[in-house]
Short mmCIF file of all heavy atoms in Angstrom, two decimals:
data_model
loop_
_atom_site.label_atom_id
_atom_site.label_comp_id
_atom_site.label_asym_id
_atom_site.label_seq_id
_atom_site.Cartn_x
_atom_site.Cartn_y
_atom_site.Cartn_z
N SER K 80 0.79 18.20 -4.58
CA SER K 80 0.96 19.54 -5.17
C SER K 80 0.91 19.53 -6.67
O SER K 80 1.27 20.51 -7.30
CB SER K 80 2.29 20.11 -4.69
OG SER K 80 3.36 19.32 -5.15
N TYR K 81 0.46 18.42 -7.28
CA TYR K 81 0.44 18.34 -8.73
C TYR K 81 -0.42 19.39 -9.39
O TYR K 81 -0.08 19.96 -10.41
CB TYR K 81 0.05 16.94 -9.19
CG TYR K 81 0.01 16.81 -10.69
CD1 TYR K 81 1.17 16.78 -11.43
CD2 TYR K 81 -1.18 16.80 -11.37
CE1 TYR K 81 1.12 16.63 -12.82
CE2 TYR K 81 -1.27 16.69 -12.75
CZ TYR K 81 -0.10 16.61 -13.46
OH TYR K 81 -0.13 16.53 -14.79
N SER K 82 -1.62 19.63 -8.81
CA SER K 82 -2.55 20.61 -9.44
C SER K 82 -1.91 21.98 -9.45
O SER K 82 -2.05 22.70 -10.44
CB SER K 82 -3.86 20.60 -8.70
OG SER K 82 -3.70 21.00 -7.34
N HIS K 83 -1.19 22.35 -8.39
CA HIS K 83 -0.51 23.68 -8.33
C HIS K 83 0.64 23.67 -9.37
O HIS K 83 0.79 24.74 -10.04
CB HIS K 83 -0.01 23.94 -6.95
CG HIS K 83 0.64 25.24 -6.79
ND1 HIS K 83 -0.05 26.42 -6.84
CD2 HIS K 83 1.95 25.55 -6.64
CE1 HIS K 83 0.84 27.43 -6.70
NE2 HIS K 83 2.04 26.93 -6.60
N ILE K 84 1.37 22.61 -9.46
CA ILE K 84 2.47 22.61 -10.42
C ILE K 84 1.95 22.62 -11.83
O ILE K 84 2.53 23.30 -12.75
CB ILE K 84 3.32 21.35 -10.20
CG1 ILE K 84 4.02 21.38 -8.83
CG2 ILE K 84 4.33 21.10 -11.30
CD1 ILE K 84 4.71 20.06 -8.45
N LYS K 85 0.81 21.98 -12.08
CA LYS K 85 0.21 21.94 -13.41
C LYS K 85 -0.20 23.30 -13.89
O LYS K 85 0.01 23.71 -15.03
CB LYS K 85 -0.92 20.98 -13.44
CG LYS K 85 -1.58 20.81 -14.81
CD LYS K 85 -2.62 19.71 -14.80
CE LYS K 85 -3.90 20.23 -14.08
NZ LYS K 85 -5.01 19.33 -14.14
N HIS K 86 -0.76 24.15 -12.97
CA HIS K 86 -1.21 25.42 -13.34
C HIS K 86 0.01 26.41 -13.54
O HIS K 86 -0.04 27.31 -14.37
CB HIS K 86 -2.18 26.02 -12.31
CG HIS K 86 -3.48 25.30 -12.24
ND1 HIS K 86 -4.30 25.21 -13.34
CD2 HIS K 86 -4.10 24.72 -11.23
CE1 HIS K 86 -5.36 24.50 -13.06
NE2 HIS K 86 -5.29 24.20 -11.74
N ASP K 87 1.04 26.19 -12.79
CA ASP K 87 2.26 27.01 -12.95
C ASP K 87 2.90 26.71 -14.30
O ASP K 87 3.54 27.61 -14.88
CB ASP K 87 3.25 26.75 -11.85
CG ASP K 87 2.94 27.49 -10.57
OD1 ASP K 87 2.02 28.41 -10.63
OD2 ASP K 87 3.48 27.13 -9.53
N ARG K 88 2.75 25.55 -14.80
CA ARG K 88 3.37 25.16 -16.07
C ARG K 88 2.78 25.96 -17.25
O ARG K 88 3.46 26.31 -18.16
CB ARG K 88 3.24 23.66 -16.27
CG ARG K 88 3.90 23.18 -17.44
CD ARG K 88 3.75 21.65 -17.54
NE ARG K 88 2.37 21.29 -17.58
CZ ARG K 88 1.88 20.08 -17.27
NH1 ARG K 88 2.69 19.12 -16.94
NH2 ARG K 88 0.60 19.81 -17.36
N ARG K 89 1.48 26.25 -17.12
CA ARG K 89 0.79 26.92 -18.25
C ARG K 89 0.83 28.45 -18.08
O ARG K 89 0.37 29.17 -18.98
CB ARG K 89 -0.66 26.44 -18.30
CG ARG K 89 -0.74 25.00 -18.67
CD ARG K 89 -2.17 24.59 -18.75
NE ARG K 89 -2.21 23.18 -18.99
CZ ARG K 89 -3.24 22.37 -18.60
NH1 ARG K 89 -4.20 22.87 -17.90
NH2 ARG K 89 -3.19 21.10 -18.84
N ARG K 90 1.30 28.96 -16.99
CA ARG K 90 1.33 30.42 -16.76
C ARG K 90 2.45 31.07 -17.52
O ARG K 90 3.56 30.55 -17.57
CB ARG K 90 1.47 30.64 -15.26
CG ARG K 90 1.20 32.04 -14.84
CD ARG K 90 1.25 32.19 -13.30
NE ARG K 90 0.13 31.44 -12.77
CZ ARG K 90 0.08 30.98 -11.53
NH1 ARG K 90 1.14 31.07 -10.77
NH2 ARG K 90 -0.98 30.31 -11.08
#
Side-chain angles (χ1 to χ4, degrees):
S80 62
Y81 178 74
S82 62
H83 181 71
I84 293 171
K85 184 172 74 171
H86 292 305
D87 281 346
R88 185 176 58 199
R89 295 182 184 149
R90 193 174 292 155

